[in-house]
Amino acid sequence: QVQLVESGGGLVRAGESLRLSCVASGRIYTIGTMAWYRQAPGEQRELVADVNSGGDKNYADSVKGRFTISRDNAQRTVYLQMDSLKPEDTGVYYCHIDRLGTQYGPLYDRWGQGTQVTVSP
């Protein structure tokens, strides 16, 4: 069974930093695009950043220059370094992988359970 487990969320003040991690567990052979989404209260889930298997990265305009996404394929982990945090960054952050190659065949559109990030003024 494949699971995505996030960690690293918490409560910080504006201007501080957090680093999120997401580990994919299970008998996994390949990993496609890894991404972080977030959902603020009363809002739709939105893409924060993603990184494909070739290392190409994409960021939402609201986080460019402040957040950095990276991946470690050997550790099956994706990170999100969040600097200069703002109150509007508050929300539940979800890890997502679009495609995994496993012993049972490909799996698509996998989500983690989410980790709360709260930024106070």
Side-chain angles (χ1 to χ4, degrees), residues 4 6 22 35-49 60 62 88-97 109-116:
L4 306 185
E6 299 109 333
C22 171
W36 288 96
Y37 286 75
R38 69 185 179 192
Q39 188 167 19
E43 302 289 332
Q44 289 189 332
R45 195 172 295 188
E46 63 174 356
L47 176 67
V48 176
S62 59
E88 51 262 45
D89 295 318
T90 294
V92 179
Y93 283 69
Y94 297 91
C95 173
H96 176 266
I97 297 176
D109 203 27
R110 308 297 288 191
W111 292 92
Q113 82 286 354
T115 184
Q116 177 70 43

PDB file of all heavy atoms in Angstrom, residues 4 6 22 35-49 60 62 88-97 109-116:
ATOM      1  N   LEU A   4       1.341   8.688   1.428  1.00  0.00           N
ATOM      2  CA  LEU A   4       2.111   9.922   1.479  1.00  0.00           C
ATOM      3  C   LEU A   4       1.918  10.522   2.860  1.00  0.00           C
ATOM      4  O   LEU A   4       0.775  10.736   3.284  1.00  0.00           O
ATOM      5  CB  LEU A   4       1.639  10.921   0.423  1.00  0.00           C
ATOM      6  CG  LEU A   4       1.589  10.452  -1.027  1.00  0.00           C
ATOM      7  CD1 LEU A   4       1.223  11.603  -1.948  1.00  0.00           C
ATOM      8  CD2 LEU A   4       2.899   9.834  -1.446  1.00  0.00           C
ATOM      9  N   GLU A   6       2.926  13.663   5.345  1.00  0.00           N
ATOM     10  CA  GLU A   6       3.513  14.989   5.484  1.00  0.00           C
ATOM     11  C   GLU A   6       3.927  15.251   6.921  1.00  0.00           C
ATOM     12  O   GLU A   6       3.350  14.689   7.861  1.00  0.00           O
ATOM     13  CB  GLU A   6       2.535  16.088   5.066  1.00  0.00           C
ATOM     14  CG  GLU A   6       2.060  16.043   3.630  1.00  0.00           C
ATOM     15  CD  GLU A   6       0.619  15.620   3.517  1.00  0.00           C
ATOM     16  OE1 GLU A   6       0.154  14.894   4.413  1.00  0.00           O
ATOM     17  OE2 GLU A   6      -0.051  15.998   2.538  1.00  0.00           O
ATOM     18  N   CYS A  22       7.397  15.475   2.800  1.00  0.00           N
ATOM     19  CA  CYS A  22       6.397  14.469   2.441  1.00  0.00           C
ATOM     20  C   CYS A  22       7.135  13.241   1.929  1.00  0.00           C
ATOM     21  O   CYS A  22       7.889  13.332   0.946  1.00  0.00           O
ATOM     22  CB  CYS A  22       5.458  15.008   1.376  1.00  0.00           C
ATOM     23  SG  CYS A  22       4.337  13.764   0.680  1.00  0.00           S
ATOM     24  N   ALA A  35       4.164  17.543  -5.814  1.00  0.00           N
ATOM     25  CA  ALA A  35       3.642  18.900  -5.668  1.00  0.00           C
ATOM     26  C   ALA A  35       3.155  19.148  -4.246  1.00  0.00           C
ATOM     27  O   ALA A  35       2.866  18.219  -3.488  1.00  0.00           O
ATOM     28  CB  ALA A  35       2.487  19.135  -6.647  1.00  0.00           C
ATOM     29  N   TRP A  36       3.061  20.438  -3.943  1.00  0.00           N
ATOM     30  CA  TRP A  36       2.417  20.900  -2.713  1.00  0.00           C
ATOM     31  C   TRP A  36       1.234  21.781  -3.103  1.00  0.00           C
ATOM     32  O   TRP A  36       1.373  22.684  -3.933  1.00  0.00           O
ATOM     33  CB  TRP A  36       3.377  21.701  -1.850  1.00  0.00           C
ATOM     34  CG  TRP A  36       4.420  20.860  -1.198  1.00  0.00           C
ATOM     35  CD1 TRP A  36       5.688  20.621  -1.627  1.00  0.00           C
ATOM     36  CD2 TRP A  36       4.278  20.135   0.023  1.00  0.00           C
ATOM     37  NE1 TRP A  36       6.348  19.788  -0.763  1.00  0.00           N
ATOM     38  CE2 TRP A  36       5.499  19.475   0.270  1.00  0.00           C
ATOM     39  CE3 TRP A  36       3.242  19.965   0.942  1.00  0.00           C
ATOM     40  CZ2 TRP A  36       5.713  18.665   1.386  1.00  0.00           C
ATOM     41  CZ3 TRP A  36       3.449  19.163   2.051  1.00  0.00           C
ATOM     42  CH2 TRP A  36       4.672  18.524   2.263  1.00  0.00           C
ATOM     43  N   TYR A  37       0.107  21.489  -2.474  1.00  0.00           N
ATOM     44  CA  TYR A  37      -1.101  22.310  -2.596  1.00  0.00           C
ATOM     45  C   TYR A  37      -1.427  22.844  -1.215  1.00  0.00           C
ATOM     46  O   TYR A  37      -0.954  22.332  -0.206  1.00  0.00           O
ATOM     47  CB  TYR A  37      -2.274  21.466  -3.094  1.00  0.00           C
ATOM     48  CG  TYR A  37      -2.225  21.105  -4.560  1.00  0.00           C
ATOM     49  CD1 TYR A  37      -1.357  20.118  -5.030  1.00  0.00           C
ATOM     50  CD2 TYR A  37      -3.068  21.722  -5.475  1.00  0.00           C
ATOM     51  CE1 TYR A  37      -1.315  19.779  -6.374  1.00  0.00           C
ATOM     52  CE2 TYR A  37      -3.043  21.388  -6.820  1.00  0.00           C
ATOM     53  CZ  TYR A  37      -2.165  20.411  -7.255  1.00  0.00           C
ATOM     54  OH  TYR A  37      -2.136  20.070  -8.589  1.00  0.00           O
ATOM     55  N   ARG A  38      -2.257  23.862  -1.175  1.00  0.00           N
ATOM     56  CA  ARG A  38      -2.742  24.354   0.115  1.00  0.00           C
ATOM     57  C   ARG A  38      -4.210  24.751  -0.010  1.00  0.00           C
ATOM     58  O   ARG A  38      -4.691  25.094  -1.091  1.00  0.00           O
ATOM     59  CB  ARG A  38      -1.924  25.523   0.628  1.00  0.00           C
ATOM     60  CG  ARG A  38      -2.063  26.815  -0.164  1.00  0.00           C
ATOM     61  CD  ARG A  38      -1.106  27.868   0.361  1.00  0.00           C
ATOM     62  NE  ARG A  38      -1.194  29.116  -0.394  1.00  0.00           N
ATOM     63  CZ  ARG A  38      -0.327  30.097  -0.294  1.00  0.00           C
ATOM     64  NH1 ARG A  38       0.723  29.993   0.554  1.00  0.00           N
ATOM     65  NH2 ARG A  38      -0.472  31.205  -1.008  1.00  0.00           N
ATOM     66  N   GLN A  39      -4.869  24.695   1.147  1.00  0.00           N
ATOM     67  CA  GLN A  39      -6.273  25.076   1.198  1.00  0.00           C
ATOM     68  C   GLN A  39      -6.511  25.912   2.434  1.00  0.00           C
ATOM     69  O   GLN A  39      -6.341  25.426   3.565  1.00  0.00           O
ATOM     70  CB  GLN A  39      -7.171  23.842   1.201  1.00  0.00           C
ATOM     71  CG  GLN A  39      -8.638  24.159   1.072  1.00  0.00           C
ATOM     72  CD  GLN A  39      -9.467  22.932   0.752  1.00  0.00           C
ATOM     73  OE1 GLN A  39      -9.036  21.793   0.961  1.00  0.00           O
ATOM     74  NE2 GLN A  39     -10.659  23.134   0.220  1.00  0.00           N
ATOM     75  N   ALA A  40      -6.876  27.166   2.217  1.00  0.00           N
ATOM     76  CA  ALA A  40      -7.220  28.057   3.315  1.00  0.00           C
ATOM     77  C   ALA A  40      -8.694  27.857   3.663  1.00  0.00           C
ATOM     78  O   ALA A  40      -9.484  27.394   2.821  1.00  0.00           O
ATOM     79  CB  ALA A  40      -6.954  29.499   2.908  1.00  0.00           C
ATOM     80  N   PRO A  41      -9.098  28.209   4.882  1.00  0.00           N
ATOM     81  CA  PRO A  41     -10.499  28.059   5.279  1.00  0.00           C
ATOM     82  C   PRO A  41     -11.435  28.783   4.316  1.00  0.00           C
ATOM     83  O   PRO A  41     -11.224  29.954   3.994  1.00  0.00           O
ATOM     84  CB  PRO A  41     -10.542  28.692   6.663  1.00  0.00           C
ATOM     85  CG  PRO A  41      -9.145  28.572   7.177  1.00  0.00           C
ATOM     86  CD  PRO A  41      -8.259  28.711   5.979  1.00  0.00           C
ATOM     87  N   GLY A  42     -12.429  28.056   3.826  1.00  0.00           N
ATOM     88  CA  GLY A  42     -13.411  28.644   2.934  1.00  0.00           C
ATOM     89  C   GLY A  42     -12.939  28.849   1.509  1.00  0.00           C
ATOM     90  O   GLY A  42     -13.673  29.414   0.692  1.00  0.00           O
ATOM     91  N   GLU A  43     -11.738  28.374   1.212  1.00  0.00           N
ATOM     92  CA  GLU A  43     -11.181  28.563  -0.120  1.00  0.00           C
ATOM     93  C   GLU A  43     -10.978  27.215  -0.814  1.00  0.00           C
ATOM     94  O   GLU A  43     -10.983  26.164  -0.172  1.00  0.00           O
ATOM     95  CB  GLU A  43      -9.841  29.295  -0.040  1.00  0.00           C
ATOM     96  CG  GLU A  43      -9.888  30.660   0.621  1.00  0.00           C
ATOM     97  CD  GLU A  43     -10.606  31.686  -0.239  1.00  0.00           C
ATOM     98  OE1 GLU A  43     -10.591  31.534  -1.478  1.00  0.00           O
ATOM     99  OE2 GLU A  43     -11.179  32.639   0.350  1.00  0.00           O
ATOM    100  N   GLN A  44     -10.783  27.280  -2.129  1.00  0.00           N
ATOM    101  CA  GLN A  44     -10.477  26.064  -2.883  1.00  0.00           C
ATOM    102  C   GLN A  44      -8.998  25.711  -2.719  1.00  0.00           C
ATOM    103  O   GLN A  44      -8.164  26.574  -2.441  1.00  0.00           O
ATOM    104  CB  GLN A  44     -10.800  26.279  -4.366  1.00  0.00           C
ATOM    105  CG  GLN A  44     -12.281  26.363  -4.668  1.00  0.00           C
ATOM    106  CD  GLN A  44     -12.561  26.349  -6.165  1.00  0.00           C
ATOM    107  OE1 GLN A  44     -11.737  26.773  -6.958  1.00  0.00           O
ATOM    108  NE2 GLN A  44     -13.708  25.815  -6.540  1.00  0.00           N
ATOM    109  N   ARG A  45      -8.717  24.440  -2.897  1.00  0.00           N
ATOM    110  CA  ARG A  45      -7.328  23.985  -2.853  1.00  0.00           C
ATOM    111  C   ARG A  45      -6.588  24.565  -4.060  1.00  0.00           C
ATOM    112  O   ARG A  45      -7.117  24.557  -5.184  1.00  0.00           O
ATOM    113  CB  ARG A  45      -7.275  22.458  -2.876  1.00  0.00           C
ATOM    114  CG  ARG A  45      -5.951  21.866  -2.480  1.00  0.00           C
ATOM    115  CD  ARG A  45      -6.052  20.357  -2.346  1.00  0.00           C
ATOM    116  NE  ARG A  45      -6.939  19.964  -1.258  1.00  0.00           N
ATOM    117  CZ  ARG A  45      -7.080  18.711  -0.840  1.00  0.00           C
ATOM    118  NH1 ARG A  45      -6.376  17.739  -1.425  1.00  0.00           N
ATOM    119  NH2 ARG A  45      -7.906  18.424   0.140  1.00  0.00           N
ATOM    120  N   GLU A  46      -5.367  25.060  -3.820  1.00  0.00           N
ATOM    121  CA  GLU A  46      -4.599  25.670  -4.888  1.00  0.00           C
ATOM    122  C   GLU A  46      -3.181  25.103  -4.926  1.00  0.00           C
ATOM    123  O   GLU A  46      -2.621  24.728  -3.891  1.00  0.00           O
ATOM    124  CB  GLU A  46      -4.522  27.199  -4.701  1.00  0.00           C
ATOM    125  CG  GLU A  46      -3.803  27.644  -3.446  1.00  0.00           C
ATOM    126  CD  GLU A  46      -3.615  29.142  -3.369  1.00  0.00           C
ATOM    127  OE1 GLU A  46      -3.961  29.870  -4.308  1.00  0.00           O
ATOM    128  OE2 GLU A  46      -3.098  29.609  -2.326  1.00  0.00           O
ATOM    129  N   LEU A  47      -2.623  25.098  -6.129  1.00  0.00           N
ATOM    130  CA  LEU A  47      -1.237  24.636  -6.293  1.00  0.00           C
ATOM    131  C   LEU A  47      -0.280  25.688  -5.744  1.00  0.00           C
ATOM    132  O   LEU A  47      -0.392  26.867  -6.083  1.00  0.00           O
ATOM    133  CB  LEU A  47      -0.940  24.385  -7.770  1.00  0.00           C
ATOM    134  CG  LEU A  47       0.494  23.991  -8.102  1.00  0.00           C
ATOM    135  CD1 LEU A  47       0.825  22.621  -7.531  1.00  0.00           C
ATOM    136  CD2 LEU A  47       0.727  24.008  -9.618  1.00  0.00           C
ATOM    137  N   VAL A  48       0.660  25.231  -4.918  1.00  0.00           N
ATOM    138  CA  VAL A  48       1.698  26.102  -4.393  1.00  0.00           C
ATOM    139  C   VAL A  48       2.968  25.970  -5.237  1.00  0.00           C
ATOM    140  O   VAL A  48       3.546  26.965  -5.667  1.00  0.00           O
ATOM    141  CB  VAL A  48       2.013  25.758  -2.930  1.00  0.00           C
ATOM    142  CG1 VAL A  48       3.171  26.600  -2.410  1.00  0.00           C
ATOM    143  CG2 VAL A  48       0.769  25.961  -2.059  1.00  0.00           C
ATOM    144  N   ALA A  49       3.405  24.724  -5.447  1.00  0.00           N
ATOM    145  CA  ALA A  49       4.628  24.478  -6.217  1.00  0.00           C
ATOM    146  C   ALA A  49       4.657  23.019  -6.637  1.00  0.00           C
ATOM    147  O   ALA A  49       4.071  22.165  -5.963  1.00  0.00           O
ATOM    148  CB  ALA A  49       5.869  24.814  -5.399  1.00  0.00           C
ATOM    149  N   ALA A  60       3.480  29.043  -7.683  1.00  0.00           N
ATOM    150  CA  ALA A  60       2.420  30.032  -7.720  1.00  0.00           C
ATOM    151  C   ALA A  60       3.041  31.414  -7.575  1.00  0.00           C
ATOM    152  O   ALA A  60       4.047  31.584  -6.870  1.00  0.00           O
ATOM    153  CB  ALA A  60       1.429  29.786  -6.589  1.00  0.00           C
ATOM    154  N   SER A  62       2.160  33.868  -5.912  1.00  0.00           N
ATOM    155  CA  SER A  62       2.108  34.387  -4.544  1.00  0.00           C
ATOM    156  C   SER A  62       3.276  33.909  -3.678  1.00  0.00           C
ATOM    157  O   SER A  62       3.519  34.488  -2.614  1.00  0.00           O
ATOM    158  CB  SER A  62       0.790  33.989  -3.881  1.00  0.00           C
ATOM    159  OG  SER A  62       0.649  32.579  -3.861  1.00  0.00           O
ATOM    160  N   GLU A  88      -1.320  35.252   5.094  1.00  0.00           N
ATOM    161  CA  GLU A  88      -2.109  34.699   3.985  1.00  0.00           C
ATOM    162  C   GLU A  88      -1.587  33.346   3.504  1.00  0.00           C
ATOM    163  O   GLU A  88      -2.212  32.708   2.651  1.00  0.00           O
ATOM    164  CB  GLU A  88      -2.182  35.680   2.814  1.00  0.00           C
ATOM    165  CG  GLU A  88      -0.855  36.229   2.359  1.00  0.00           C
ATOM    166  CD  GLU A  88      -0.562  37.606   2.955  1.00  0.00           C
ATOM    167  OE1 GLU A  88      -0.779  37.786   4.172  1.00  0.00           O
ATOM    168  OE2 GLU A  88      -0.081  38.474   2.197  1.00  0.00           O
ATOM    169  N   ASP A  89      -0.448  32.892   4.031  1.00  0.00           N
ATOM    170  CA  ASP A  89       0.043  31.549   3.735  1.00  0.00           C
ATOM    171  C   ASP A  89      -0.619  30.490   4.623  1.00  0.00           C
ATOM    172  O   ASP A  89      -0.392  29.286   4.429  1.00  0.00           O
ATOM    173  CB  ASP A  89       1.559  31.463   3.924  1.00  0.00           C
ATOM    174  CG  ASP A  89       2.338  32.328   2.951  1.00  0.00           C
ATOM    175  OD1 ASP A  89       1.966  32.344   1.757  1.00  0.00           O
ATOM    176  OD2 ASP A  89       3.305  32.984   3.382  1.00  0.00           O
ATOM    177  N   THR A  90      -1.423  30.925   5.559  1.00  0.00           N
ATOM    178  CA  THR A  90      -2.097  29.994   6.470  1.00  0.00           C
ATOM    179  C   THR A  90      -3.018  29.053   5.708  1.00  0.00           C
ATOM    180  O   THR A  90      -3.744  29.471   4.799  1.00  0.00           O
ATOM    181  CB  THR A  90      -2.906  30.773   7.517  1.00  0.00           C
ATOM    182  OG1 THR A  90      -1.990  31.495   8.350  1.00  0.00           O
ATOM    183  CG2 THR A  90      -3.746  29.845   8.375  1.00  0.00           C
ATOM    184  N   GLY A  91      -2.980  27.777   6.093  1.00  0.00           N
ATOM    185  CA  GLY A  91      -3.848  26.789   5.483  1.00  0.00           C
ATOM    186  C   GLY A  91      -3.350  25.387   5.749  1.00  0.00           C
ATOM    187  O   GLY A  91      -2.330  25.198   6.430  1.00  0.00           O
ATOM    188  N   VAL A  92      -4.069  24.421   5.216  1.00  0.00           N
ATOM    189  CA  VAL A  92      -3.627  23.034   5.268  1.00  0.00           C
ATOM    190  C   VAL A  92      -2.841  22.748   3.989  1.00  0.00           C
ATOM    191  O   VAL A  92      -3.338  23.000   2.890  1.00  0.00           O
ATOM    192  CB  VAL A  92      -4.812  22.064   5.398  1.00  0.00           C
ATOM    193  CG1 VAL A  92      -4.305  20.619   5.433  1.00  0.00           C
ATOM    194  CG2 VAL A  92      -5.621  22.372   6.652  1.00  0.00           C
ATOM    195  N   TYR A  93      -1.653  22.247   4.154  1.00  0.00           N
ATOM    196  CA  TYR A  93      -0.773  21.960   3.025  1.00  0.00           C
ATOM    197  C   TYR A  93      -0.795  20.462   2.741  1.00  0.00           C
ATOM    198  O   TYR A  93      -0.592  19.654   3.641  1.00  0.00           O
ATOM    199  CB  TYR A  93       0.640  22.441   3.328  1.00  0.00           C
ATOM    200  CG  TYR A  93       0.786  23.931   3.182  1.00  0.00           C
ATOM    201  CD1 TYR A  93       0.159  24.803   4.069  1.00  0.00           C
ATOM    202  CD2 TYR A  93       1.539  24.479   2.153  1.00  0.00           C
ATOM    203  CE1 TYR A  93       0.266  26.177   3.925  1.00  0.00           C
ATOM    204  CE2 TYR A  93       1.672  25.853   2.004  1.00  0.00           C
ATOM    205  CZ  TYR A  93       1.030  26.692   2.895  1.00  0.00           C
ATOM    206  OH  TYR A  93       1.152  28.064   2.750  1.00  0.00           O
ATOM    207  N   TYR A  94      -1.030  20.138   1.464  1.00  0.00           N
ATOM    208  CA  TYR A  94      -1.152  18.749   1.032  1.00  0.00           C
ATOM    209  C   TYR A  94      -0.057  18.408   0.028  1.00  0.00           C
ATOM    210  O   TYR A  94       0.217  19.169  -0.907  1.00  0.00           O
ATOM    211  CB  TYR A  94      -2.503  18.512   0.361  1.00  0.00           C
ATOM    212  CG  TYR A  94      -3.698  18.710   1.251  1.00  0.00           C
ATOM    213  CD1 TYR A  94      -4.322  19.948   1.335  1.00  0.00           C
ATOM    214  CD2 TYR A  94      -4.212  17.644   1.999  1.00  0.00           C
ATOM    215  CE1 TYR A  94      -5.430  20.134   2.157  1.00  0.00           C
ATOM    216  CE2 TYR A  94      -5.318  17.826   2.816  1.00  0.00           C
ATOM    217  CZ  TYR A  94      -5.919  19.077   2.890  1.00  0.00           C
ATOM    218  OH  TYR A  94      -7.014  19.248   3.693  1.00  0.00           O
ATOM    219  N   CYS A  95       0.493  17.229   0.197  1.00  0.00           N
ATOM    220  CA  CYS A  95       1.433  16.680  -0.759  1.00  0.00           C
ATOM    221  C   CYS A  95       0.656  15.911  -1.822  1.00  0.00           C
ATOM    222  O   CYS A  95      -0.360  15.268  -1.505  1.00  0.00           O
ATOM    223  CB  CYS A  95       2.382  15.745  -0.010  1.00  0.00           C
ATOM    224  SG  CYS A  95       3.512  14.794  -1.021  1.00  0.00           S
ATOM    225  N   HIS A  96       1.116  15.961  -3.058  1.00  0.00           N
ATOM    226  CA  HIS A  96       0.438  15.260  -4.158  1.00  0.00           C
ATOM    227  C   HIS A  96       1.476  14.685  -5.119  1.00  0.00           C
ATOM    228  O   HIS A  96       2.488  15.324  -5.416  1.00  0.00           O
ATOM    229  CB  HIS A  96      -0.474  16.237  -4.919  1.00  0.00           C
ATOM    230  CG  HIS A  96      -1.140  15.643  -6.107  1.00  0.00           C
ATOM    231  ND1 HIS A  96      -0.631  15.733  -7.381  1.00  0.00           N
ATOM    232  CD2 HIS A  96      -2.297  14.936  -6.215  1.00  0.00           C
ATOM    233  CE1 HIS A  96      -1.426  15.111  -8.225  1.00  0.00           C
ATOM    234  NE2 HIS A  96      -2.448  14.620  -7.530  1.00  0.00           N
ATOM    235  N   ILE A  97       1.201  13.485  -5.596  1.00  0.00           N
ATOM    236  CA  ILE A  97       2.021  12.869  -6.644  1.00  0.00           C
ATOM    237  C   ILE A  97       1.081  12.436  -7.760  1.00  0.00           C
ATOM    238  O   ILE A  97       0.072  11.766  -7.493  1.00  0.00           O
ATOM    239  CB  ILE A  97       2.826  11.672  -6.114  1.00  0.00           C
ATOM    240  CG1 ILE A  97       3.809  12.140  -5.043  1.00  0.00           C
ATOM    241  CG2 ILE A  97       3.575  10.974  -7.247  1.00  0.00           C
ATOM    242  CD1 ILE A  97       4.602  11.020  -4.382  1.00  0.00           C
ATOM    243  N   ASP A 109      -2.676  10.159  -8.992  1.00  0.00           N
ATOM    244  CA  ASP A 109      -3.380  11.173  -8.222  1.00  0.00           C
ATOM    245  C   ASP A 109      -3.453  10.817  -6.750  1.00  0.00           C
ATOM    246  O   ASP A 109      -4.543  10.676  -6.178  1.00  0.00           O
ATOM    247  CB  ASP A 109      -4.786  11.349  -8.797  1.00  0.00           C
ATOM    248  CG  ASP A 109      -5.388  12.694  -8.456  1.00  0.00           C
ATOM    249  OD1 ASP A 109      -4.629  13.663  -8.252  1.00  0.00           O
ATOM    250  OD2 ASP A 109      -6.631  12.765  -8.361  1.00  0.00           O
ATOM    251  N   ARG A 110      -2.279  10.696  -6.109  1.00  0.00           N
ATOM    252  CA  ARG A 110      -2.230  10.348  -4.696  1.00  0.00           C
ATOM    253  C   ARG A 110      -2.011  11.589  -3.840  1.00  0.00           C
ATOM    254  O   ARG A 110      -1.193  12.449  -4.171  1.00  0.00           O
ATOM    255  CB  ARG A 110      -1.092   9.352  -4.443  1.00  0.00           C
ATOM    256  CG  ARG A 110      -1.130   8.151  -5.329  1.00  0.00           C
ATOM    257  CD  ARG A 110      -2.361   7.316  -5.129  1.00  0.00           C
ATOM    258  NE  ARG A 110      -2.345   6.586  -3.887  1.00  0.00           N
ATOM    259  CZ  ARG A 110      -3.227   5.630  -3.602  1.00  0.00           C
ATOM    260  NH1 ARG A 110      -4.189   5.324  -4.452  1.00  0.00           N
ATOM    261  NH2 ARG A 110      -3.151   4.990  -2.464  1.00  0.00           N
ATOM    262  N   TRP A 111      -2.743  11.624  -2.699  1.00  0.00           N
ATOM    263  CA  TRP A 111      -2.684  12.777  -1.789  1.00  0.00           C
ATOM    264  C   TRP A 111      -2.241  12.336  -0.413  1.00  0.00           C
ATOM    265  O   TRP A 111      -2.569  11.224   0.042  1.00  0.00           O
ATOM    266  CB  TRP A 111      -4.056  13.427  -1.671  1.00  0.00           C
ATOM    267  CG  TRP A 111      -4.548  14.098  -2.906  1.00  0.00           C
ATOM    268  CD1 TRP A 111      -5.313  13.548  -3.895  1.00  0.00           C
ATOM    269  CD2 TRP A 111      -4.326  15.457  -3.284  1.00  0.00           C
ATOM    270  NE1 TRP A 111      -5.571  14.486  -4.860  1.00  0.00           N
ATOM    271  CE2 TRP A 111      -4.993  15.672  -4.514  1.00  0.00           C
ATOM    272  CE3 TRP A 111      -3.643  16.534  -2.708  1.00  0.00           C
ATOM    273  CZ2 TRP A 111      -4.977  16.909  -5.175  1.00  0.00           C
ATOM    274  CZ3 TRP A 111      -3.633  17.748  -3.360  1.00  0.00           C
ATOM    275  CH2 TRP A 111      -4.285  17.934  -4.581  1.00  0.00           C
ATOM    276  N   GLY A 112      -1.550  13.256   0.285  1.00  0.00           N
ATOM    277  CA  GLY A 112      -1.276  13.056   1.691  1.00  0.00           C
ATOM    278  C   GLY A 112      -2.450  13.531   2.523  1.00  0.00           C
ATOM    279  O   GLY A 112      -3.447  14.044   1.990  1.00  0.00           O
ATOM    280  N   GLN A 113      -2.332  13.383   3.843  1.00  0.00           N
ATOM    281  CA  GLN A 113      -3.447  13.722   4.733  1.00  0.00           C
ATOM    282  C   GLN A 113      -3.480  15.204   5.075  1.00  0.00           C
ATOM    283  O   GLN A 113      -4.476  15.699   5.590  1.00  0.00           O
ATOM    284  CB  GLN A 113      -3.341  12.896   6.031  1.00  0.00           C
ATOM    285  CG  GLN A 113      -2.384  13.444   7.069  1.00  0.00           C
ATOM    286  CD  GLN A 113      -0.929  13.237   6.725  1.00  0.00           C
ATOM    287  OE1 GLN A 113      -0.582  12.579   5.736  1.00  0.00           O
ATOM    288  NE2 GLN A 113      -0.046  13.805   7.544  1.00  0.00           N
ATOM    289  N   GLY A 114      -2.410  15.922   4.786  1.00  0.00           N
ATOM    290  CA  GLY A 114      -2.366  17.353   5.048  1.00  0.00           C
ATOM    291  C   GLY A 114      -1.674  17.693   6.355  1.00  0.00           C
ATOM    292  O   GLY A 114      -1.716  16.916   7.310  1.00  0.00           O
ATOM    293  N   THR A 115      -1.049  18.873   6.367  1.00  0.00           N
ATOM    294  CA  THR A 115      -0.417  19.373   7.585  1.00  0.00           C
ATOM    295  C   THR A 115      -0.759  20.860   7.710  1.00  0.00           C
ATOM    296  O   THR A 115      -0.715  21.609   6.729  1.00  0.00           O
ATOM    297  CB  THR A 115       1.109  19.146   7.556  1.00  0.00           C
ATOM    298  OG1 THR A 115       1.683  19.557   8.797  1.00  0.00           O
ATOM    299  CG2 THR A 115       1.801  19.894   6.421  1.00  0.00           C
ATOM    300  N   GLN A 116      -1.132  21.272   8.913  1.00  0.00           N
ATOM    301  CA  GLN A 116      -1.596  22.637   9.138  1.00  0.00           C
ATOM    302  C   GLN A 116      -0.417  23.597   9.281  1.00  0.00           C
ATOM    303  O   GLN A 116       0.524  23.343  10.042  1.00  0.00           O
ATOM    304  CB  GLN A 116      -2.454  22.705  10.405  1.00  0.00           C
ATOM    305  CG  GLN A 116      -2.936  24.100  10.772  1.00  0.00           C
ATOM    306  CD  GLN A 116      -3.977  24.632   9.811  1.00  0.00           C
ATOM    307  OE1 GLN A 116      -4.898  23.922   9.407  1.00  0.00           O
ATOM    308  NE2 GLN A 116      -3.830  25.901   9.425  1.00  0.00           N
TER     309      GLN A 116
END
